[in-house]
Amino acid sequence: FQTHAQIIRKILGVIIILAVVAMVFGNSIYITKTTSASTNAATGTELQNGVAQPFPAPDFKDISAWINSPPLHIQDLRGKVVLIDFWAYSCINCIRTLPYLIDWYSKYHKQGFEIIGVHSPEFDFERNLQNVQAAVKADKILYPVALDNSFATWQNYNNLYWPAHYLIDKNGDVVYEHFGEGEYNVTENNIRYLLGLGSAMPTALEAQKMTVTTPETYLGYERSQEFLSNENKSLDIAATYSYPAHLPLNAWALQGSWIIQGQKIISAQKGAAIKIHFTGKQVFAVMGCTKPPVHVQRKFNGVPASTIEVTEHKLYTFFSEPDATDGELELIADAPGLEIYTFTFG
C-alpha cells in the first residue's frame, strides 16, 4: 500500500470527480423533466400557475334547473376542455368577467372548449329561475348555466368565491384555478394549452385598470358595516333614522323610515333616503322593490341628478365617471318598498 499510495490517491480523486459530475448532470436531467412536464412540445404553449396537484373534477350536484342545456354531468364532458364558472347575476365582480367568458366561448367552443356557468345565489331573489333566465338573456350568455340553489355543487368544489374559475383538462382533471377578477391572459393561455393550440395568443380584451375603491358595502344586518346614522339599528321593524353631521369615507347612513332586515333594507315611506361616502369611478347597487315601479332620485354631493326607475331585482348603475372620485351619493325613494341589498364600486 505504501509503495502505491500516490497512484491510489489519484484513482480516488478521479472517482470523486466523476461522482460529482454525475450528481450535477443527474440533477440537471431531473430539473429538465420536471419543468417540461407542463409544456406542450407540439405547440410550445405552457400551463401557467397550474394547481400543485391536479384532481378529478367533482360532478354537478342537486342542480335545480339548467339553462341553455339539458342536464349535464362531468362525465358527459370528458374529452373537452371545460371551464367551470361560479357566479351570481347581481355580483359586479362576476359581471366584469362575463365579456372574457363570452369571448373565449365564441373563439374556442368549436375547437372542443365548453363553459358551464354554475349560478350560486348570493341573495334570495337570485334563486328565482325566471330572474336568472332574464339575466342570461340580457347578458347574451350562450353556454350552459346550472342553478346551484342548494350550493351542493359549490360545496363539491369546496368553493368560497364569486367568481371562481376551475379549468378542467380532457381527462376530467382540474388543472388550474383562479378566484376573483383578473389573470385573463393566463386563463386564455391555459385554455389554448389544453386545446393544443399555438402559443401565439390573440389579443385578449383589455383588463380593467384597478384603482383603490370603497369596498363592497352590505346593508342588511347580517353583514353590514360602517353604519353611522344617529340612531341604533332596529332589526326587522320600521324605524326612523337621521344623518350624522359628518359622514366619513366608506361609511353610510339612513334618513327617514326604513326596515333593516338580514339581507337588505326596505324604504318604509316616501322620501326615505340613504347616503354613502365613497371613492371610485363607478357606483352600483343591487336593488328591487316590493311593488314596482319605484323611482329613485340621485344626488351627488348634494346636487340632484337624473332619476332611475327600479322595476326588478338586479344591479343598477348610479354613478360612472372616467376618473376616480371622492364624494357622497344620496338615493331618495319616491315610495315605500324600495329594497337595497348592497353597494359595489368600480
Side-chain angles (χ1 to χ4, degrees):
F1 178 83
Q2 290 177 347
T3 303
H4 302 288
Q6 188 174 359
I7 296 175
I8 292 172
R9 282 197 297 271
K10 290 181 180 180
I11 294 172
L12 291 175
V14 171
I15 293 173
I16 291 171
I17 291 171
L18 290 174
V20 171
V21 171
M23 290 172 64
V24 170
F25 279 97
N27 284 341
S28 297
I29 292 169
Y30 173 76
I31 292 170
T32 301
K33 288 182 178 178
T34 303
T35 304
S36 64
S38 61
T39 301
N40 187 326
T43 65
T45 55
E46 184 175 281
L47 187 71
Q48 299 177 15
N49 300 346
V51 298
Q53 185 63 51
F55 58 92
D59 200 6
F60 309 111
K61 182 180 179 183
D62 295 341
I63 298 300
S64 59
W66 285 85
I67 302 172
N68 294 338
S69 172
L72 295 171
H73 296 281
I74 285 294
Q75 187 63 34
D76 302 330
L77 302 170
R78 196 60 82 83
K80 295 185 177 183
V81 174
V82 182
L83 180 66
I84 304 296
D85 170 41
F86 285 93
W87 71 300
Y89 80 79
S90 73
C91 163
I92 185 60
N93 307 97
C94 303
I95 291 171
R96 287 177 182 144
T97 66
L98 287 179
Y100 298 91
L101 295 171
I102 292 168
D103 180 56
W104 297 335
Y105 188 76
S106 173
K107 288 192 291 192
Y108 303 122
H109 178 60
K110 292 182 180 179
Q111 300 177 65
F113 176 61
E114 187 62 85
I115 298 176
I116 307 296
V118 179
H119 187 274
S120 304
E122 187 173 8
F123 301 109
D124 287 341
F125 65 82
E126 291 176 315
R127 300 176 184 275
N128 184 290
L129 174 59
Q130 292 182 337
N131 289 350
V132 183
Q133 287 174 324
V136 167
K137 182 178 180 180
D139 292 326
K140 299 180 181 178
I141 295 172
L142 301 179
Y143 49 79
V145 173
L147 269 65
D148 185 31
N149 284 349
S150 66
F151 280 76
T153 302
W154 173 289
Q155 292 168 3
N156 261 5
Y157 279 78
N158 294 316
N159 187 49
L160 298 172
Y161 307 99
W162 291 280
H165 295 156
Y166 297 84
L167 192 57
I168 302 168
D169 67 14
K170 294 180 181 181
N171 295 322
D173 291 329
V174 175
V175 296
Y176 168 76
E177 300 172 341
H178 181 72
F179 307 116
E181 299 179 58
E183 211 167 271
Y184 302 113
N185 287 342
V186 173
T187 304
E188 184 167 10
N189 172 81
N190 291 343
I191 292 168
R192 294 177 63 84
Y193 163 73
L194 294 176
L195 290 171
L197 301 177
S199 58
M201 282 191 50
T203 302
L205 295 171
E206 182 181 1
Q208 297 189 26
K209 296 179 180 179
M210 300 304 292
T211 58
V212 177
T213 63
T214 294
E216 184 168 12
T217 303
Y218 292 91
L219 306 180
Y221 60 74
E222 291 176 355
R223 290 191 281 179
S224 66
Q225 294 178 318
E226 305 293 343
F227 173 73
L228 286 184
S229 284
N230 292 319
E231 300 76 18
N232 293 327
K233 296 177 185 176
S234 296
L235 308 186
D236 299 314
I237 60 171
T240 300
Y241 301 93
S242 60
Y243 292 148
H246 171 68
L247 198 59
L249 181 63
N250 300 337
W252 61 282
L254 298 174
Q255 183 163 277
S257 183
W258 289 87
I259 303 169
I260 301 178
Q261 296 186 345
Q263 290 191 346
K264 61 189 175 183
I265 60 173
I266 307 172
S267 64
Q269 66 173 170
K270 179 180 180 179
I274 180 172
K275 184 185 291 185
I276 185 164
H277 186 177
F278 75 95
T279 182
K281 296 180 181 180
Q282 298 170 305
V283 182
F284 309 92
V286 177
M287 307 178 74
C289 53
T290 56
K291 187 178 180 181
V294 173
H295 296 90
V296 179
Q297 172 69 59
R298 297 180 291 173
K299 289 184 179 181
F300 178 66
N301 290 337
V303 179
S306 59
T307 298
I308 286 184
E309 183 178 76
V310 177
T311 58
E312 57 184 314
H313 288 81
K314 67 177 186 179
L315 190 76
Y316 292 84
T317 302
F318 281 94
F319 182 86
S320 183
E321 292 291 337
D323 299 314
T325 301
D326 181 321
E328 293 184 352
L329 177 70
E330 184 177 18
L331 307 180
I332 306 168
D334 75 342
L338 176 68
E339 301 175 335
I340 314 177
Y341 291 79
T342 180
F343 285 106
T344 54
F345 306 87

